[in-house]
Amino acid sequence: MASTNFTRDTPDLGKPQLASHAWLEPIVVVGIMVGSLIVNRRRDSSKSASESHSSRLGNYAILEEGEAHLSNGLQTKSENVYGITIKTRDSSRWAHHIHSRILQKFPFLVEMFYWIMNYLFYSVTKSTAQWLSPAQIGVVEVARGHAIDILNFEHETASWIFPIKEADFQSYFIQNHPSILTMFNRIYSLIHIPGTVLFLSWYYYVAKNHASFALARRTMTLGNLAAFLVFCVYPCMPPRLLPESYGFYDTVRQGNAESIWVGGKSINQFAAMPSLHFTYAFVIGCTFLHHSGFLQRLRGQPTQKSPLTEFGLLTLAICYPILVLSVIVATANHYWLDAVVAIVTVTLSFRFNRILIVLLPLEYALCWCLRLAKPVPTTGDRAARR
């Protein structure tokens, strides 16, 4: 959908995103990814690929909470997921292949592959929602109806839960703090894709082991998949696209200022419910809280974090989700309920995150077809070197 062009007198909406965002943001993301590959590379390059892979296989099985054993001369790993036994075979026989050696040197490439797959799933939600919508109505009318239903629910049925209307929240910044709105406009995209990629790179590096990182990654991935399903069956128009009578302004996309992450052909404009921005922010905030050591301190358990580090991570755990929530509502991209539903989906995703392990046979099948040895992550190596 085209950027919003206002045909009426509008107040100061703050300055839009810089024109350079169209090319700068992809460069930032690529830069973060390249940096992640370098920082998280394997450093024991003196060993041969097959020797290095085999020596770490047992530890990897432990990190993934699996049980390693031999079957027909091949080492396999089995895991029990909600009563389902998942078995995967070791593919280290192909560790000497050049593409295996590259992947073993830069195991973070696997994480990049996972998120490419996530994006591919997201890219079909737009067409799927259109296909599922009644032909005589169309997805636009369906999405608008859902958006109005949300506003009616918030402001009439559950006004005691949502005492501040989204339009009033946006109006507060428009009338009193346009400079803050400018900041919100410019970080709306940067906190979503680049910020999330940076977080994943950071936690891959600092997590005490790969099981801790995998828990956060699986939770975020399952939260993604839950959101994608909702996008397909419940298209929802964001506030900025509602008729002018509802009092919302599209502050991010003024004129031709539009980020590559919100204006591409595959972008689903009717994916307001739940908020992926807040889905990521809530997972990140919870991870900061866990990694800070604050919860361990409350339980009387020892923590290796310094008071300054603990305070910094605890501050990020609280402030980051609040900042994201303020940004997405003040810029008229989401409703309060979008964030509430995101909290619910993330909580369920955390509770049932291990269900994704049932996909391990598909991962093994891909490695088998590509004659590729699955690399052992470097997460935890930093702690082992101390």
Side-chain angles (χ1 to χ4, degrees):
M1 186 168 293
S3 303
T4 302
N5 292 316
F6 295 107
T7 58
R8 56 177 174 161
D9 293 334
T10 58
D12 185 359
L13 303 180
K15 296 179 181 179
Q17 297 187 69
L18 299 173
S20 59
H21 278 206
W23 56 266
L24 180 60
E25 290 173 19
I27 293 177
V28 170
V29 171
V30 172
I32 293 173
M33 288 182 174
V34 172
S36 300
L37 292 177
I38 296 173
V39 171
N40 294 303
R41 71 188 184 280
R42 173 151 290 109
R43 291 173 169 79
D44 54 348
S45 57
S46 58
K47 295 182 179 181
S48 67
S50 56
E51 178 187 359
S52 180
H53 188 279
S54 300
S55 67
R56 291 186 299 267
L57 183 61
N59 291 334
Y60 184 41
I62 294 174
L63 294 180
E64 288 292 303
E65 304 174 5
E67 178 184 356
H69 57 278
L70 292 176
S71 176
N72 297 326
L74 295 176
Q75 189 159 11
T76 65
K77 183 164 64 90
S78 64
E79 301 187 58
N80 188 282
V81 183
Y82 304 115
I84 303 173
T85 300
I86 309 298
K87 291 185 178 181
T88 56
R89 287 188 290 177
D90 172 32
S91 58
S92 62
R93 67 178 72 182
W94 298 303
H96 63 283
H97 289 181
I98 182 63
H99 54 307
S100 292
R101 295 172 67 91
I102 293 174
L103 205 56
Q104 289 159 21
K105 181 66 176 179
F106 302 102
F108 195 77
L109 281 168
V110 175
E111 304 303 324
M112 294 168 64
F113 170 77
Y114 290 153
W115 285 96
I116 290 173
M117 297 302 298
N118 268 272
Y119 180 77
L120 292 178
F121 280 116
Y122 166 79
S123 65
V124 303
T125 62
K126 180 178 180 179
S127 58
T128 303
Q130 292 174 338
W131 178 66
L132 292 175
S133 298
Q136 66 273 21
I137 300 177
V139 68
V140 176
E141 290 300 322
V142 171
R144 183 181 292 117
H146 289 159
I148 295 172
D149 289 343
I150 289 174
L151 288 177
N152 290 337
F153 172 78
E154 289 182 351
H155 304 160
E156 298 176 11
T157 306
S159 58
W160 58 279
I161 301 177
F162 307 100
I164 303 176
K165 296 181 178 180
E166 290 88 347
D168 293 340
F169 186 75
Q170 183 185 57
S171 178
Y172 170 77
F173 290 99
I174 291 176
Q175 295 178 11
N176 302 291
H177 300 287
S179 59
I180 295 180
L181 193 57
T182 295
M183 179 185 70
F184 286 172
N185 292 339
R186 291 182 174 176
I187 69 174
Y188 173 74
S189 299
L190 291 177
I191 61 176
H192 188 39
I193 302 300
T196 302
V197 173
L198 183 61
F199 160 76
L200 290 170
S201 173
W202 167 81
Y203 198 51
Y204 190 95
Y205 181 72
V206 304
K208 60 182 179 180
N209 53 49
H210 190 260
S212 297
F213 171 80
L215 174 61
R217 184 241 285 149
R218 287 198 302 263
T219 300
M220 189 176 288
T221 300
L222 197 57
N224 261 339
L225 297 178
F228 297 164
L229 178 62
V230 176
F231 295 165
C232 293
V233 301
Y234 193 84
C236 181
M237 183 175 287
R240 60 184 175 81
L241 295 180
L242 285 173
E244 294 180 355
S245 59
Y246 286 88
F248 292 106
Y249 296 93
D250 188 350
T251 64
V252 174
R253 302 160 187 79
Q254 300 177 51
N256 294 319
E258 192 164 39
S259 165
I260 189 174
W261 312 118
V262 296
K265 290 183 179 180
S266 62
I267 301 302
N268 188 350
Q269 297 281 18
F270 303 134
M273 168 69 73
S275 168
L276 276 183
H277 277 76
F278 198 76
T279 294
Y280 296 172
F282 189 59
V283 173
I284 292 172
C286 290
T287 305
F288 282 147
L289 179 62
H290 169 75
H291 192 70
S292 70
F294 178 74
L295 297 179
Q296 292 89 324
R297 188 182 297 276
L298 288 180
R299 292 193 292 262
Q301 299 174 352
T303 175
Q304 297 180 344
K305 299 293 188 302
S306 68
L308 182 60
T309 299
E310 181 179 325
F311 176 77
L313 290 172
L314 183 60
T315 300
L316 284 172
I318 297 172
C319 293
Y320 185 71
I322 292 176
L323 171 64
V324 172
L325 180 60
S326 300
V327 168
I328 62 179
V329 175
T331 58
N333 280 281
H334 285 283
Y335 309 93
W336 299 118
L337 191 61
D338 298 343
V340 173
V341 174
I343 292 175
V344 173
T345 57
V346 168
T347 302
L348 292 174
S349 298
F350 173 77
R351 175 63 181 84
F352 299 105
N353 74 89
R354 282 181 55 81
I355 196 65
L356 289 180
I357 296 178
V358 301
L359 299 177
L360 280 177
L362 294 178
E363 186 180 76
Y364 168 74
L366 179 62
C367 289
W368 184 275
C369 292
L370 297 177
R371 296 299 188 263
L372 179 67
K374 183 179 177 180
V376 178
T378 57
T379 310
D381 286 2
R382 175 171 169 265
R385 291 195 300 268
R386 289 178 176 177

